[in-house]
Amino acid sequence: MKNSENGNMYEVTLEETWDLFAPYLDGARTGIVCVASAARLGDAARSALEKSAAALGYGCACCTYVVLRADGAAGDAALDGQALFLLLEGLDPLIVVAADAEAARALGAAYRQEVPLDGACRLFGRDAVAFKSFEHMLDDAQSKQAAWALLKKLPRFGER
């Protein structure tokens, strides 16, 4: 057990979360934006999300990526609702993005609320958007515009 006497309790919680859920996490260690997906997103999707977050004022390299099923995790176990809730609350991001329908369903189960596909909502006080499949939306110009329109429903940094 780590001791918070010499540090910030939020930093301790963040470090413990990364230690506990390491196989499921990637990206910025102190990410403002948390992107959940069923499996690891490709480089093009990650780049598009990072650029979108930067355009909204959240900075460069600000995304933490959470996968529901991690390669190399014990028995490739999937995160259940309780574990996903604990993971996200430990990371404490400002913004949550469900990159696919499976992640949206998992977030809905974790937070016991509806997470509308291709729509925006709030998760425990956080702004969130959910895609049916963000990666597939990058395949053509019209879908890219639709993805960007959904991401623009998130507040620009400093607006809330």
Side-chain angles (χ1 to χ4, degrees):
M1 183 87 169
K2 292 185 180 177
N3 189 335
S4 64
E5 288 178 26
N6 297 325
N8 181 314
M9 69 180 188
Y10 299 105
E11 290 175 10
V12 170
T13 300
L14 181 65
E15 290 303 317
E16 288 174 348
T17 300
W18 273 86
D19 290 346
L20 184 61
F21 295 105
Y24 302 93
L25 292 168
D26 189 17
R29 197 158 183 91
T30 57
I32 295 172
V33 177
C34 182
V35 180
S37 58
R40 187 183 191 284
L41 293 175
D43 292 339
R46 285 173 172 243
S47 177
L49 287 163
E50 295 282 347
K51 288 177 183 175
S52 296
L56 291 170
Y58 294 100
C60 297
C62 68
C63 294
T64 300
Y65 299 93
V66 174
V67 293
L68 301 179
R69 285 181 307 281
D71 295 333
D76 289 329
L79 291 172
D80 63 15
Q82 185 176 12
L84 183 58
F85 182 85
L86 182 64
L87 184 156
L88 280 170
E89 290 306 306
L91 294 176
D92 196 21
L94 293 177
I95 302 293
V96 177
V97 175
D100 54 52
E102 187 175 342
R105 281 190 300 276
L107 287 167
Y111 285 89
R112 298 179 184 178
Q113 71 176 67
E114 180 184 351
V115 176
L117 291 177
D118 294 331
C121 66
R122 305 262 302 155
L123 288 175
F124 224 53
R126 294 177 184 89
D127 289 290
V129 293
F131 295 92
K132 286 180 190 165
S133 176
F134 182 78
E135 283 191 299
H136 287 113
M137 293 181 86
L138 301 178
D139 292 341
D140 65 79
Q142 187 174 0
S143 294
K144 282 182 190 178
Q145 288 300 316
W148 174 235
L150 182 55
L151 288 167
K152 286 195 305 187
K153 290 185 178 184
L154 296 169
R156 292 192 179 275
F157 187 74
E159 284 186 355
R160 286 214 183 225

mmCIF file of all heavy atoms in Angstrom, residues 53-105:
data_model
loop_
_atom_site.group_PDB
_atom_site.id
_atom_site.type_symbol
_atom_site.label_atom_id
_atom_site.label_comp_id
_atom_site.label_asym_id
_atom_site.label_seq_id
_atom_site.Cartn_x
_atom_site.Cartn_y
_atom_site.Cartn_z
ATOM 1 N N ALA A 53 -8.464 16.184 -29.826
ATOM 2 C CA ALA A 53 -8.334 16.681 -28.453
ATOM 3 C C ALA A 53 -7.516 17.968 -28.426
ATOM 4 O O ALA A 53 -7.858 18.916 -27.710
ATOM 5 C CB ALA A 53 -7.712 15.611 -27.555
ATOM 6 N N ALA A 54 -6.455 18.015 -29.216
ATOM 7 C CA ALA A 54 -5.634 19.224 -29.286
ATOM 8 C C ALA A 54 -6.447 20.384 -29.861
ATOM 9 O O ALA A 54 -6.372 21.513 -29.356
ATOM 10 C CB ALA A 54 -4.385 18.966 -30.123
ATOM 11 N N ALA A 55 -7.250 20.116 -30.885
ATOM 12 C CA ALA A 55 -8.079 21.165 -31.484
ATOM 13 C C ALA A 55 -9.125 21.693 -30.507
ATOM 14 O O ALA A 55 -9.540 22.855 -30.601
ATOM 15 C CB ALA A 55 -8.763 20.634 -32.746
ATOM 16 N N LEU A 56 -9.538 20.861 -29.559
ATOM 17 C CA LEU A 56 -10.499 21.287 -28.543
ATOM 18 C C LEU A 56 -9.819 21.950 -27.336
ATOM 19 O O LEU A 56 -10.481 22.303 -26.366
ATOM 20 C CB LEU A 56 -11.336 20.089 -28.077
ATOM 21 C CG LEU A 56 -12.301 19.532 -29.117
ATOM 22 C CD1 LEU A 56 -12.894 18.210 -28.644
ATOM 23 C CD2 LEU A 56 -13.399 20.534 -29.436
ATOM 24 N N GLY A 57 -8.503 22.082 -27.416
ATOM 25 C CA GLY A 57 -7.774 22.793 -26.370
ATOM 26 C C GLY A 57 -7.229 21.936 -25.249
ATOM 27 O O GLY A 57 -6.731 22.471 -24.249
ATOM 28 N N TYR A 58 -7.282 20.615 -25.386
ATOM 29 C CA TYR A 58 -6.821 19.735 -24.310
ATOM 30 C C TYR A 58 -5.325 19.426 -24.395
ATOM 31 O O TYR A 58 -4.790 18.758 -23.526
ATOM 32 C CB TYR A 58 -7.636 18.443 -24.288
ATOM 33 C CG TYR A 58 -9.078 18.699 -23.929
ATOM 34 C CD1 TYR A 58 -10.057 18.750 -24.908
ATOM 35 C CD2 TYR A 58 -9.453 18.935 -22.613
ATOM 36 C CE1 TYR A 58 -11.381 19.026 -24.585
ATOM 37 C CE2 TYR A 58 -10.761 19.219 -22.274
ATOM 38 C CZ TYR A 58 -11.717 19.261 -23.268
ATOM 39 O OH TYR A 58 -13.014 19.547 -22.953
ATOM 40 N N GLY A 59 -4.682 19.894 -25.435
ATOM 41 C CA GLY A 59 -3.251 19.704 -25.580
ATOM 42 C C GLY A 59 -2.895 18.482 -26.406
ATOM 43 O O GLY A 59 -3.757 17.706 -26.804
ATOM 44 N N CYS A 60 -1.606 18.351 -26.659
ATOM 45 C CA CYS A 60 -1.099 17.219 -27.435
ATOM 46 C C CYS A 60 -0.803 16.054 -26.488
ATOM 47 O O CYS A 60 -0.480 16.260 -25.327
ATOM 48 C CB CYS A 60 0.176 17.617 -28.162
ATOM 49 S SG CYS A 60 -0.087 18.935 -29.356
ATOM 50 N N ALA A 61 -0.922 14.859 -26.993
ATOM 51 C CA ALA A 61 -0.615 13.648 -26.217
ATOM 52 C C ALA A 61 -1.350 13.638 -24.884
ATOM 53 O O ALA A 61 -0.760 13.405 -23.831
ATOM 54 C CB ALA A 61 0.892 13.494 -26.029
ATOM 55 N N CYS A 62 -2.655 13.907 -24.926
ATOM 56 C CA CYS A 62 -3.434 14.008 -23.686
ATOM 57 C C CYS A 62 -4.395 12.841 -23.506
ATOM 58 O O CYS A 62 -5.197 12.856 -22.579
ATOM 59 C CB CYS A 62 -4.219 15.310 -23.684
ATOM 60 S SG CYS A 62 -5.524 15.360 -24.919
ATOM 61 N N CYS A 63 -4.312 11.841 -24.361
ATOM 62 C CA CYS A 63 -5.264 10.726 -24.299
ATOM 63 C C CYS A 63 -4.672 9.516 -23.579
ATOM 64 O O CYS A 63 -3.557 9.085 -23.861
ATOM 65 C CB CYS A 63 -5.700 10.299 -25.699
ATOM 66 S SG CYS A 63 -6.661 11.550 -26.578
ATOM 67 N N THR A 64 -5.464 8.979 -22.660
ATOM 68 C CA THR A 64 -5.171 7.690 -22.047
ATOM 69 C C THR A 64 -6.109 6.692 -22.703
ATOM 70 O O THR A 64 -7.301 6.961 -22.850
ATOM 71 C CB THR A 64 -5.442 7.721 -20.526
ATOM 72 O OG1 THR A 64 -4.619 8.720 -19.931
ATOM 73 C CG2 THR A 64 -5.157 6.373 -19.891
ATOM 74 N N TYR A 65 -5.585 5.554 -23.119
ATOM 75 C CA TYR A 65 -6.379 4.541 -23.812
ATOM 76 C C TYR A 65 -6.628 3.345 -22.901
ATOM 77 O O TYR A 65 -5.700 2.832 -22.273
ATOM 78 C CB TYR A 65 -5.657 4.089 -25.091
ATOM 79 C CG TYR A 65 -5.465 5.239 -26.047
ATOM 80 C CD1 TYR A 65 -4.310 5.995 -26.036
ATOM 81 C CD2 TYR A 65 -6.477 5.584 -26.940
ATOM 82 C CE1 TYR A 65 -4.151 7.067 -26.903
ATOM 83 C CE2 TYR A 65 -6.332 6.658 -27.809
ATOM 84 C CZ TYR A 65 -5.163 7.392 -27.775
ATOM 85 O OH TYR A 65 -5.012 8.468 -28.623
ATOM 86 N N VAL A 66 -7.878 2.942 -22.831
ATOM 87 C CA VAL A 66 -8.295 1.793 -22.035
ATOM 88 C C VAL A 66 -8.867 0.755 -22.982
ATOM 89 O O VAL A 66 -9.741 1.066 -23.789
ATOM 90 C CB VAL A 66 -9.386 2.193 -21.011
ATOM 91 C CG1 VAL A 66 -9.920 0.974 -20.279
ATOM 92 C CG2 VAL A 66 -8.865 3.228 -20.036
ATOM 93 N N VAL A 67 -8.365 -0.469 -22.913
ATOM 94 C CA VAL A 67 -8.941 -1.567 -23.693
ATOM 95 C C VAL A 67 -9.700 -2.488 -22.746
ATOM 96 O O VAL A 67 -9.263 -2.722 -21.613
ATOM 97 C CB VAL A 67 -7.884 -2.356 -24.494
ATOM 98 C CG1 VAL A 67 -7.281 -1.509 -25.601
ATOM 99 C CG2 VAL A 67 -6.796 -2.897 -23.598
ATOM 100 N N LEU A 68 -10.829 -2.979 -23.198
ATOM 101 C CA LEU A 68 -11.644 -3.854 -22.357
ATOM 102 C C LEU A 68 -11.030 -5.235 -22.206
ATOM 103 O O LEU A 68 -11.185 -5.885 -21.185
ATOM 104 C CB LEU A 68 -13.060 -3.977 -22.930
ATOM 105 C CG LEU A 68 -13.828 -2.666 -23.068
ATOM 106 C CD1 LEU A 68 -15.205 -2.925 -23.663
ATOM 107 C CD2 LEU A 68 -13.934 -1.946 -21.739
ATOM 108 N N ARG A 69 -10.358 -5.697 -23.255
ATOM 109 C CA ARG A 69 -9.672 -6.986 -23.228
ATOM 110 C C ARG A 69 -8.221 -6.746 -23.606
ATOM 111 O O ARG A 69 -7.928 -6.361 -24.738
ATOM 112 C CB ARG A 69 -10.315 -7.962 -24.207
ATOM 113 C CG ARG A 69 -11.627 -8.529 -23.731
ATOM 114 C CD ARG A 69 -12.208 -9.518 -24.731
ATOM 115 N NE ARG A 69 -12.318 -8.978 -26.067
ATOM 116 C CZ ARG A 69 -13.277 -8.151 -26.494
ATOM 117 N NH1 ARG A 69 -14.206 -7.760 -25.666
ATOM 118 N NH2 ARG A 69 -13.300 -7.718 -27.726
ATOM 119 N N ALA A 70 -7.335 -6.982 -22.685
ATOM 120 C CA ALA A 70 -5.927 -6.695 -22.912
ATOM 121 C C ALA A 70 -5.167 -7.930 -23.335
ATOM 122 O O ALA A 70 -5.366 -9.005 -22.778
ATOM 123 C CB ALA A 70 -5.315 -6.126 -21.646
ATOM 124 N N ASP A 71 -4.297 -7.757 -24.318
ATOM 125 C CA ASP A 71 -3.368 -8.832 -24.674
ATOM 126 C C ASP A 71 -2.411 -9.017 -23.504
ATOM 127 O O ASP A 71 -1.917 -8.047 -22.941
ATOM 128 C CB ASP A 71 -2.560 -8.461 -25.921
ATOM 129 C CG ASP A 71 -3.428 -8.336 -27.160
ATOM 130 O OD1 ASP A 71 -4.487 -9.002 -27.205
ATOM 131 O OD2 ASP A 71 -3.054 -7.579 -28.061
ATOM 132 N N GLY A 72 -2.194 -10.232 -23.128
ATOM 133 C CA GLY A 72 -1.266 -10.515 -22.044
ATOM 134 C C GLY A 72 -1.872 -10.428 -20.654
ATOM 135 O O GLY A 72 -1.204 -10.712 -19.685
ATOM 136 N N ALA A 73 -3.125 -10.011 -20.556
ATOM 137 C CA ALA A 73 -3.770 -9.991 -19.236
ATOM 138 C C ALA A 73 -4.064 -11.430 -18.841
ATOM 139 O O ALA A 73 -4.204 -12.301 -19.692
ATOM 140 C CB ALA A 73 -5.059 -9.173 -19.279
ATOM 141 N N ALA A 74 -4.160 -11.683 -17.572
ATOM 142 C CA ALA A 74 -4.399 -13.036 -17.074
ATOM 143 C C ALA A 74 -5.601 -13.653 -17.775
ATOM 144 O O ALA A 74 -6.729 -13.242 -17.563
ATOM 145 C CB ALA A 74 -4.608 -13.009 -15.572
ATOM 146 N N GLY A 75 -5.329 -14.617 -18.637
ATOM 147 C CA GLY A 75 -6.397 -15.310 -19.354
ATOM 148 C C GLY A 75 -7.161 -14.399 -20.308
ATOM 149 O O GLY A 75 -8.280 -14.699 -20.684
ATOM 150 N N ASP A 76 -6.517 -13.271 -20.717
ATOM 151 C CA ASP A 76 -7.197 -12.288 -21.561
ATOM 152 C C ASP A 76 -8.546 -11.897 -20.978
ATOM 153 O O ASP A 76 -9.543 -11.752 -21.678
ATOM 154 C CB ASP A 76 -7.349 -12.801 -22.994
ATOM 155 C CG ASP A 76 -6.016 -12.833 -23.714
ATOM 156 O OD1 ASP A 76 -5.149 -12.007 -23.429
ATOM 157 O OD2 ASP A 76 -5.855 -13.700 -24.571
ATOM 158 N N ALA A 77 -8.589 -11.726 -19.664
ATOM 159 C CA ALA A 77 -9.826 -11.371 -18.968
ATOM 160 C C ALA A 77 -10.301 -9.995 -19.398
ATOM 161 O O ALA A 77 -9.504 -9.082 -19.585
ATOM 162 C CB ALA A 77 -9.587 -11.396 -17.458
ATOM 163 N N ALA A 78 -11.589 -9.874 -19.564
ATOM 164 C CA ALA A 78 -12.190 -8.579 -19.904
ATOM 165 C C ALA A 78 -12.518 -7.833 -18.619
ATOM 166 O O ALA A 78 -12.835 -8.436 -17.597
ATOM 167 C CB ALA A 78 -13.443 -8.799 -20.741
ATOM 168 N N LEU A 79 -12.433 -6.526 -18.693
ATOM 169 C CA LEU A 79 -12.832 -5.710 -17.549
ATOM 170 C C LEU A 79 -14.338 -5.811 -17.370
ATOM 171 O O LEU A 79 -15.093 -5.640 -18.322
ATOM 172 C CB LEU A 79 -12.476 -4.242 -17.794
ATOM 173 C CG LEU A 79 -10.999 -3.879 -17.822
ATOM 174 C CD1 LEU A 79 -10.825 -2.434 -18.278
ATOM 175 C CD2 LEU A 79 -10.378 -4.087 -16.451
ATOM 176 N N ASP A 80 -14.787 -6.095 -16.155
ATOM 177 C CA ASP A 80 -16.226 -6.080 -15.891
ATOM 178 C C ASP A 80 -16.616 -4.653 -15.515
ATOM 179 O O ASP A 80 -15.775 -3.756 -15.419
ATOM 180 C CB ASP A 80 -16.618 -7.088 -14.812
ATOM 181 C CG ASP A 80 -16.002 -6.806 -13.446
ATOM 182 O OD1 ASP A 80 -15.497 -5.687 -13.221
ATOM 183 O OD2 ASP A 80 -16.045 -7.704 -12.596
ATOM 184 N N GLY A 81 -17.913 -4.419 -15.300
ATOM 185 C CA GLY A 81 -18.404 -3.085 -15.009
ATOM 186 C C GLY A 81 -17.769 -2.463 -13.780
ATOM 187 O O GLY A 81 -17.404 -1.288 -13.773
ATOM 188 N N GLN A 82 -17.627 -3.255 -12.729
ATOM 189 C CA GLN A 82 -17.053 -2.734 -11.485
ATOM 190 C C GLN A 82 -15.593 -2.348 -11.684
ATOM 191 O O GLN A 82 -15.147 -1.300 -11.210
ATOM 192 C CB GLN A 82 -17.192 -3.774 -10.381
ATOM 193 C CG GLN A 82 -16.740 -3.277 -9.029
ATOM 194 C CD GLN A 82 -16.976 -4.309 -7.927
ATOM 195 O OE1 GLN A 82 -17.266 -5.469 -8.186
ATOM 196 N NE2 GLN A 82 -16.847 -3.882 -6.698
ATOM 197 N N ALA A 83 -14.835 -3.184 -12.391
ATOM 198 C CA ALA A 83 -13.423 -2.885 -12.634
ATOM 199 C C ALA A 83 -13.264 -1.665 -13.536
ATOM 200 O O ALA A 83 -12.399 -0.815 -13.305
ATOM 201 C CB ALA A 83 -12.727 -4.097 -13.251
ATOM 202 N N LEU A 84 -14.113 -1.567 -14.556
ATOM 203 C CA LEU A 84 -14.049 -0.415 -15.453
ATOM 204 C C LEU A 84 -14.371 0.873 -14.694
ATOM 205 O O LEU A 84 -13.712 1.891 -14.882
ATOM 206 C CB LEU A 84 -14.999 -0.612 -16.636
ATOM 207 C CG LEU A 84 -14.988 0.487 -17.699
ATOM 208 C CD1 LEU A 84 -13.598 0.685 -18.293
ATOM 209 C CD2 LEU A 84 -15.998 0.153 -18.798
ATOM 210 N N PHE A 85 -15.364 0.823 -13.835
ATOM 211 C CA PHE A 85 -15.710 1.988 -13.015
ATOM 212 C C PHE A 85 -14.523 2.389 -12.132
ATOM 213 O O PHE A 85 -14.143 3.559 -12.080
ATOM 214 C CB PHE A 85 -16.945 1.678 -12.156
ATOM 215 C CG PHE A 85 -17.399 2.828 -11.310
ATOM 216 C CD1 PHE A 85 -18.242 3.801 -11.829
ATOM 217 C CD2 PHE A 85 -16.981 2.951 -9.988
ATOM 218 C CE1 PHE A 85 -18.656 4.884 -11.043
ATOM 219 C CE2 PHE A 85 -17.399 4.023 -9.199
ATOM 220 C CZ PHE A 85 -18.234 4.985 -9.732
ATOM 221 N N LEU A 86 -13.918 1.424 -11.458
ATOM 222 C CA LEU A 86 -12.773 1.693 -10.584
ATOM 223 C C LEU A 86 -11.607 2.271 -11.384
ATOM 224 O O LEU A 86 -10.962 3.227 -10.958
ATOM 225 C CB LEU A 86 -12.353 0.402 -9.873
ATOM 226 C CG LEU A 86 -11.198 0.502 -8.890
ATOM 227 C CD1 LEU A 86 -11.550 1.392 -7.712
ATOM 228 C CD2 LEU A 86 -10.828 -0.896 -8.399
ATOM 229 N N LEU A 87 -11.353 1.709 -12.555
ATOM 230 C CA LEU A 87 -10.270 2.189 -13.408
ATOM 231 C C LEU A 87 -10.506 3.642 -13.808
ATOM 232 O O LEU A 87 -9.624 4.494 -13.646
ATOM 233 C CB LEU A 87 -10.170 1.292 -14.653
ATOM 234 C CG LEU A 87 -9.031 1.565 -15.621
ATOM 235 C CD1 LEU A 87 -8.720 0.296 -16.401
ATOM 236 C CD2 LEU A 87 -9.355 2.679 -16.579
ATOM 237 N N LEU A 88 -11.695 3.949 -14.327
ATOM 238 C CA LEU A 88 -11.970 5.311 -14.780
ATOM 239 C C LEU A 88 -11.967 6.307 -13.625
ATOM 240 O O LEU A 88 -11.458 7.423 -13.769
ATOM 241 C CB LEU A 88 -13.300 5.376 -15.525
ATOM 242 C CG LEU A 88 -13.214 4.906 -16.971
ATOM 243 C CD1 LEU A 88 -14.595 4.758 -17.567
ATOM 244 C CD2 LEU A 88 -12.372 5.842 -17.789
ATOM 245 N N GLU A 89 -12.519 5.935 -12.503
ATOM 246 C CA GLU A 89 -12.518 6.852 -11.363
ATOM 247 C C GLU A 89 -11.102 7.058 -10.830
ATOM 248 O O GLU A 89 -10.773 8.144 -10.347
ATOM 249 C CB GLU A 89 -13.458 6.350 -10.269
ATOM 250 C CG GLU A 89 -14.920 6.433 -10.649
ATOM 251 C CD GLU A 89 -15.349 7.820 -11.092
ATOM 252 O OE1 GLU A 89 -15.136 8.792 -10.333
ATOM 253 O OE2 GLU A 89 -15.908 7.950 -12.195
ATOM 254 N N GLY A 90 -10.257 6.052 -10.935
ATOM 255 C CA GLY A 90 -8.860 6.207 -10.543
ATOM 256 C C GLY A 90 -8.092 7.123 -11.474
ATOM 257 O O GLY A 90 -7.241 7.900 -11.045
ATOM 258 N N LEU A 91 -8.399 7.049 -12.776
ATOM 259 C CA LEU A 91 -7.756 7.936 -13.751
ATOM 260 C C LEU A 91 -8.293 9.362 -13.635
ATOM 261 O O LEU A 91 -7.573 10.318 -13.861
ATOM 262 C CB LEU A 91 -7.990 7.434 -15.179
ATOM 263 C CG LEU A 91 -7.350 6.110 -15.558
ATOM 264 C CD1 LEU A 91 -7.758 5.723 -16.973
ATOM 265 C CD2 LEU A 91 -5.840 6.158 -15.425
ATOM 266 N N ASP A 92 -9.584 9.478 -13.350
ATOM 267 C CA ASP A 92 -10.267 10.760 -13.172
ATOM 268 C C ASP A 92 -10.066 11.719 -14.344
ATOM 269 O O ASP A 92 -9.628 12.858 -14.162
ATOM 270 C CB ASP A 92 -9.822 11.413 -11.860
ATOM 271 C CG ASP A 92 -10.761 12.536 -11.426
ATOM 272 O OD1 ASP A 92 -11.925 12.557 -11.882
ATOM 273 O OD2 ASP A 92 -10.318 13.399 -10.645
ATOM 274 N N PRO A 93 -10.420 11.283 -15.575
ATOM 275 C CA PRO A 93 -10.277 12.178 -16.729
ATOM 276 C C PRO A 93 -11.379 13.231 -16.760
ATOM 277 O O PRO A 93 -12.413 13.086 -16.100
ATOM 278 C CB PRO A 93 -10.425 11.214 -17.908
ATOM 279 C CG PRO A 93 -11.391 10.188 -17.396
ATOM 280 C CD PRO A 93 -11.011 10.001 -15.938
ATOM 281 N N LEU A 94 -11.179 14.273 -17.543
ATOM 282 C CA LEU A 94 -12.220 15.278 -17.753
ATOM 283 C C LEU A 94 -13.231 14.804 -18.793
ATOM 284 O O LEU A 94 -14.405 15.116 -18.710
ATOM 285 C CB LEU A 94 -11.612 16.599 -18.234
ATOM 286 C CG LEU A 94 -10.734 17.359 -17.257
ATOM 287 C CD1 LEU A 94 -10.167 18.594 -17.923
ATOM 288 C CD2 LEU A 94 -11.515 17.725 -16.013
ATOM 289 N N ILE A 95 -12.742 14.067 -19.790
ATOM 290 C CA ILE A 95 -13.531 13.653 -20.952
ATOM 291 C C ILE A 95 -13.416 12.143 -21.124
ATOM 292 O O ILE A 95 -12.349 11.572 -20.933
ATOM 293 C CB ILE A 95 -12.992 14.328 -22.240
ATOM 294 C CG1 ILE A 95 -13.013 15.850 -22.114
ATOM 295 C CG2 ILE A 95 -13.726 13.848 -23.478
ATOM 296 C CD1 ILE A 95 -14.372 16.470 -22.048
ATOM 297 N N VAL A 96 -14.531 11.506 -21.529
ATOM 298 C CA VAL A 96 -14.519 10.073 -21.832
ATOM 299 C C VAL A 96 -15.038 9.883 -23.256
ATOM 300 O O VAL A 96 -16.049 10.466 -23.639
ATOM 301 C CB VAL A 96 -15.392 9.271 -20.837
ATOM 302 C CG1 VAL A 96 -15.423 7.793 -21.211
ATOM 303 C CG2 VAL A 96 -14.884 9.452 -19.418
ATOM 304 N N VAL A 97 -14.330 9.064 -24.019
ATOM 305 C CA VAL A 97 -14.734 8.719 -25.380
ATOM 306 C C VAL A 97 -14.849 7.206 -25.473
ATOM 307 O O VAL A 97 -13.893 6.498 -25.150
ATOM 308 C CB VAL A 97 -13.712 9.222 -26.427
ATOM 309 C CG1 VAL A 97 -14.088 8.753 -27.827
ATOM 310 C CG2 VAL A 97 -13.579 10.734 -26.376
ATOM 311 N N ALA A 98 -16.018 6.719 -25.879
ATOM 312 C CA ALA A 98 -16.186 5.290 -26.184
ATOM 313 C C ALA A 98 -15.967 5.161 -27.688
ATOM 314 O O ALA A 98 -16.754 5.676 -28.475
ATOM 315 C CB ALA A 98 -17.572 4.817 -25.786
ATOM 316 N N ALA A 99 -14.908 4.489 -28.075
ATOM 317 C CA ALA A 99 -14.535 4.420 -29.479
ATOM 318 C C ALA A 99 -15.338 3.398 -30.273
ATOM 319 O O ALA A 99 -15.291 3.402 -31.495
ATOM 320 C CB ALA A 99 -13.042 4.118 -29.610
ATOM 321 N N ASP A 100 -16.071 2.528 -29.585
ATOM 322 C CA ASP A 100 -16.874 1.526 -30.290
ATOM 323 C C ASP A 100 -18.084 1.138 -29.450
ATOM 324 O O ASP A 100 -18.183 1.501 -28.274
ATOM 325 C CB ASP A 100 -16.024 0.302 -30.661
ATOM 326 C CG ASP A 100 -15.301 -0.312 -29.477
ATOM 327 O OD1 ASP A 100 -15.957 -0.612 -28.455
ATOM 328 O OD2 ASP A 100 -14.073 -0.488 -29.570
ATOM 329 N N ALA A 101 -18.998 0.411 -30.084
ATOM 330 C CA ALA A 101 -20.264 0.043 -29.429
ATOM 331 C C ALA A 101 -20.039 -0.804 -28.185
ATOM 332 O O ALA A 101 -20.740 -0.640 -27.182
ATOM 333 C CB ALA A 101 -21.173 -0.686 -30.422
ATOM 334 N N GLU A 102 -19.067 -1.697 -28.224
ATOM 335 C CA GLU A 102 -18.808 -2.549 -27.054
ATOM 336 C C GLU A 102 -18.332 -1.713 -25.865
ATOM 337 O O GLU A 102 -18.761 -1.929 -24.732
ATOM 338 C CB GLU A 102 -17.781 -3.625 -27.391
ATOM 339 C CG GLU A 102 -17.596 -4.629 -26.284
ATOM 340 C CD GLU A 102 -16.665 -5.774 -26.640
ATOM 341 O OE1 GLU A 102 -16.408 -6.014 -27.838
ATOM 342 O OE2 GLU A 102 -16.206 -6.436 -25.691
ATOM 343 N N ALA A 103 -17.477 -0.739 -26.120
ATOM 344 C CA ALA A 103 -17.014 0.137 -25.047
ATOM 345 C C ALA A 103 -18.168 0.982 -24.511
ATOM 346 O O ALA A 103 -18.274 1.202 -23.305
ATOM 347 C CB ALA A 103 -15.879 1.028 -25.538
ATOM 348 N N ALA A 104 -19.053 1.438 -25.389
ATOM 349 C CA ALA A 104 -20.213 2.222 -24.955
ATOM 350 C C ALA A 104 -21.115 1.388 -24.050
ATOM 351 O O ALA A 104 -21.574 1.873 -23.004
ATOM 352 C CB ALA A 104 -20.989 2.740 -26.163
ATOM 353 N N ARG A 105 -21.342 0.131 -24.429
ATOM 354 C CA ARG A 105 -22.162 -0.753 -23.586
ATOM 355 C C ARG A 105 -21.485 -0.990 -22.238
ATOM 356 O O ARG A 105 -22.135 -0.981 -21.188
ATOM 357 C CB ARG A 105 -22.421 -2.084 -24.290
ATOM 358 C CG ARG A 105 -23.512 -2.036 -25.341
ATOM 359 C CD ARG A 105 -23.900 -3.415 -25.835
ATOM 360 N NE ARG A 105 -22.799 -4.151 -26.438
ATOM 361 C CZ ARG A 105 -22.402 -4.017 -27.709
ATOM 362 N NH1 ARG A 105 -23.027 -3.176 -28.501
ATOM 363 N NH2 ARG A 105 -21.412 -4.722 -28.179
#
